Amino acid sequence: MTEQQEQYAIEKATPREIALGSLRATSPTNIIQEATEIATPLAALIEERRLYSNISGKKYVRVEGWTTLGAMLGVSPREVETRRLEDGGYESTVELVRVNDGHVIGRGSALCGMDEKRWANRDEYARRSMAITRATSKAFRLSFSWIITLAGYEATP
């Protein structure tokens, strides 16, 4: 065996690890298996605790369900910025951080605007908080919607 062939054999034999939070896998098939092992108890918890909203007959996971998934994966949301808009609405950006090393693995932003009937007359702190909640859900959806769908729920928060 030539030196180049030996190097190729060693590289080929070394599995490449996929890491998303604490979810680690060495192949596409393996990552689906690992995610399914998370999705099954997650689905049971979301159902038992009703961490979803039923909209037009479909189940959409609320932020508490998304953050539970994050806790299972070793991923935590972190507010990056929340700013008040000129009209009194809020825009927020949230990052997803891998807890064991602080690496940012996702990000999302969202608004809570004054043009929304439900929020236009609410207290300012409530509009600000809703922008953060929506950004948190969006960050998790962008990174982990595929696990939520494995759990049997709609991906859009």
Side-chain angles (χ1 to χ4, degrees), residues 33-157:
Q33 291 169 340
E34 294 289 324
T36 301
E37 286 183 24
I38 291 168
T40 301
L42 177 65
L45 180 71
I46 289 171
E47 202 62 36
E48 175 189 325
R49 301 293 178 157
R50 297 191 52 87
L51 301 179
Y52 64 88
S53 296
N54 190 318
I55 303 170
S56 300
K58 295 182 179 181
K59 294 179 180 179
Y60 295 88
V61 177
R62 293 195 323 251
V63 71
E64 297 85 0
W66 288 106
T67 55
T68 299
L69 171 58
M72 293 171 80
L73 292 170
V75 174
S76 182
R78 174 174 62 198
E79 180 184 354
V80 175
E81 178 185 22
T82 300
R83 66 183 185 94
R84 188 177 193 277
L85 304 174
E86 288 182 20
D87 69 355
Y90 280 87
E91 179 179 29
S92 186
T93 301
V94 169
E95 293 178 334
L96 300 181
V97 179
R98 195 166 45 217
V99 175
N100 65 352
D101 64 5
H103 185 76
V104 175
I105 62 167
R107 184 180 178 114
S109 63
L111 297 169
C112 184
M114 295 300 290
D115 59 338
E116 299 178 56
K117 290 179 187 176
R118 182 175 181 169
W119 294 98
N121 295 318
R122 301 285 295 270
D123 291 334
E124 188 165 338
Y125 78 88
R127 290 191 307 275
R128 184 182 190 285
S129 181
M130 180 49 70
I132 297 166
T133 297
R134 289 175 178 175
T136 299
S137 292
K138 179 58 102 35
F140 276 109
R141 187 197 70 76
L142 291 171
S143 296
F144 300 111
S145 60
W146 61 282
I147 296 177
I148 286 293
T149 58
L150 285 174
Y153 295 89
E154 298 298 321
T156 305

Side-chain angles (χ1 to χ4, degrees), residues 16-35:
R16 297 181 191 258
E17 186 175 77
I18 301 164
L20 298 169
S22 63
L23 180 63
R24 298 195 184 294
T26 56
S27 73
T29 301
N30 184 242
I31 200 162
I32 297 299
Q33 291 169 340
E34 294 289 324

